[in-house]
């Protein structure tokens, strides 16, 4: 059976850098394809499956909005690729990116008109908005139906069962593991060399330094509020790091 990569490109999880590497291996527009889909889960899965089935010459699919799991299709064995990031660092990166990006989307307008603290508090207050509240948990949990347990339980099952979950903080090592896996899966000659694209904040600092700066910027009370609203993401992130190190 033909194999193809399916990159679940989560917002601000180094996906643009990864896609830059994929596009050096696969011709954009024919072998490397990208598409976005509606949020409704049933419609999302229906359209993602159609997209894959209609592009039999593709080697790599990439989408910010396709929901797990990768579709089950006759022609392809799809190899899902997804990254996870320290939840607090990802939120600060999303804010920095949305401040710079222009446009009239909700996140961009909000980020341009408020501080990081205001951005976080406004998005969490909406209730349905997951950009600043257990973002990864929601996205990974889509892999299994509600009958499989709570959102966190389903997200953990996804981390355990997905064949590749990269760690943004270990990006180069993640790419080495990804390249090795893809070669084992038959992508001979693939070269997933590190590419740094679409970076919103200083990458020379350690994760501890970056989190300390975010804590100082937010103040203790707002920082603890953010941490409390991302407890599931912290648990999921630790599980992913544990699996990665094994």
């Amino acid at each position: 059976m033909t194999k193809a990569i399916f990159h679940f490109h989560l917002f601000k999880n180094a996906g643009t850098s990864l896609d830059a590497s994929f596009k050096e291996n696969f011709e954009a527009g024919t072998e490397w394809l990208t598409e976005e889909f509606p949020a409704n889960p049933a419609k999302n899965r229906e359209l993602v499956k159609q997209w894959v089935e209609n592009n039999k010459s593709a080697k790599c699919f990439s989408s910010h909005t396709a929901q797990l799991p990768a579709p089950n299709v006759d022609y392809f064995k799809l190899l899902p690729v997804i990254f996870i990031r320290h939840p607090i660092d990802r939120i600060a990166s999303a804010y920095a990116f949305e401040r710079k990006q222009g446009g009239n989307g909700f996140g961009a307008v909000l980020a341009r008109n408020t501080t990081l603290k205001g951005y976080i508090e406004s998005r969490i207050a909406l209730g349905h908005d997951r950009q600043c509240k257990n973002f990864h948990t929601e996205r990974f949990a889509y892999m299994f139906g509600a009958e499989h347990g709570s959102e966190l339980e389903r997200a953990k099952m996804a981390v355990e069962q997905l064949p590749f979950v990269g760690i943004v903080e270990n990006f180069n090592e993640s790419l080495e593991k990804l390249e090795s896996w893809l070669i084992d899966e038959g992508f001979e000659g693939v070269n997933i060399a590190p590419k740094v694209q679409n970076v919103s904040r200083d990458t020379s600092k350690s994760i501890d330094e970056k989190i300390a700066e975010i804590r100082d910027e937010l103040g203790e009370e707002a920082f603890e509020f953010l941490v409390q609203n991302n407890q599931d993401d912290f648990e999921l992130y630790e599980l992913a790091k544990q699996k990665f190190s094994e």
Side-chain angles (χ1 to χ4, degrees):
M1 182 180 282
T2 302
K3 293 179 182 178
I5 300 157
F6 199 107
H7 175 205
F8 291 89
H9 180 173
L10 301 189
F11 182 51
K12 300 313 297 174
N13 275 16
T16 304
S17 299
L18 178 56
D19 276 339
S21 290
F22 282 143
K23 283 188 274 189
E24 291 210 342
N25 290 269
F26 310 115
E27 186 177 340
T30 54
E31 295 182 327
W32 179 90
L33 300 174
T34 187
E35 190 70 62
E36 302 307 336
F37 301 95
N40 176 274
K43 195 68 179 170
N44 186 291
R45 294 196 175 96
E46 177 190 343
L47 292 174
V48 170
K49 186 172 183 178
Q50 286 177 13
W51 179 48
V52 172
E53 289 176 335
N54 291 340
N55 289 283
K56 291 186 168 60
S57 62
K59 301 285 180 62
C60 183
F61 299 90
S62 180
S63 176
H64 291 87
T65 47
Q67 295 174 7
L68 285 164
N72 191 2
V73 295
D74 293 335
Y75 183 77
F76 284 118
K77 176 186 177 185
L78 291 174
L79 307 177
V81 171
I82 192 167
F83 272 72
I84 194 168
R85 182 175 184 175
H86 187 291
I88 305 301
D89 190 46
R90 194 202 68 84
I91 291 165
S93 180
Y95 170 74
F97 174 77
E98 297 214 273
R99 269 183 79 85
K100 290 194 306 187
Q101 74 167 334
N104 295 314
F106 168 72
V109 172
L110 177 64
R112 288 198 302 272
N113 288 282
T114 189
T115 61
L116 174 60
K117 179 175 180 284
Y119 177 83
I120 290 164
E121 290 176 345
S122 297
R123 298 203 77 147
I124 290 176
L126 289 171
H128 66 275
D129 189 318
R130 300 298 294 271
Q131 193 61 247
C132 297
K133 181 170 182 173
N134 293 322
F135 167 85
H136 295 103
T137 305
E138 181 195 36
R139 298 302 295 270
F140 277 82
Y142 281 129
M143 187 153 167
F144 297 100
E147 70 275 11
H148 291 280
S150 69
E151 186 179 76
L152 179 58
E153 287 168 336
R154 288 180 279 131
K156 285 176 160 182
M157 285 173 62
V159 167
E160 294 281 12
Q161 294 189 28
L162 284 163
F164 180 84
V165 179
I167 309 292
V168 173
E169 287 73 26
N170 301 96
F171 189 62
N172 288 358
E173 187 184 350
S174 294
L175 293 192
E176 289 171 9
K177 290 191 175 193
L178 176 58
E179 182 179 291
S180 176
W181 174 55
L182 292 176
I183 289 170
D184 287 345
E185 288 286 352
F187 284 88
E188 294 178 15
V190 73
N191 178 20
I192 312 295
K195 299 274 182 291
V196 180
Q197 302 275 339
N198 199 21
V199 175
S200 305
R201 293 162 65 243
D202 186 356
T203 57
S204 65
K205 294 174 181 172
S206 72
I207 187 63
D208 289 341
E209 288 173 318
K210 289 195 281 186
I211 299 307
E213 286 183 356
I214 295 165
R215 184 191 287 264
D216 288 343
E217 182 176 351
L218 290 176
E220 199 63 34
E221 186 177 343
F223 182 81
E224 285 305 317
F225 172 75
L226 182 60
V227 168
Q228 287 303 315
N229 276 280
N230 285 277
Q231 285 299 303
D232 289 354
D233 260 20
F234 275 109
E235 202 169 323
L236 194 68
Y237 178 66
E238 290 303 321
L239 177 65
K241 284 201 299 180
Q242 181 185 328
K243 182 187 174 188
F244 185 82
S245 66
E246 291 166 359

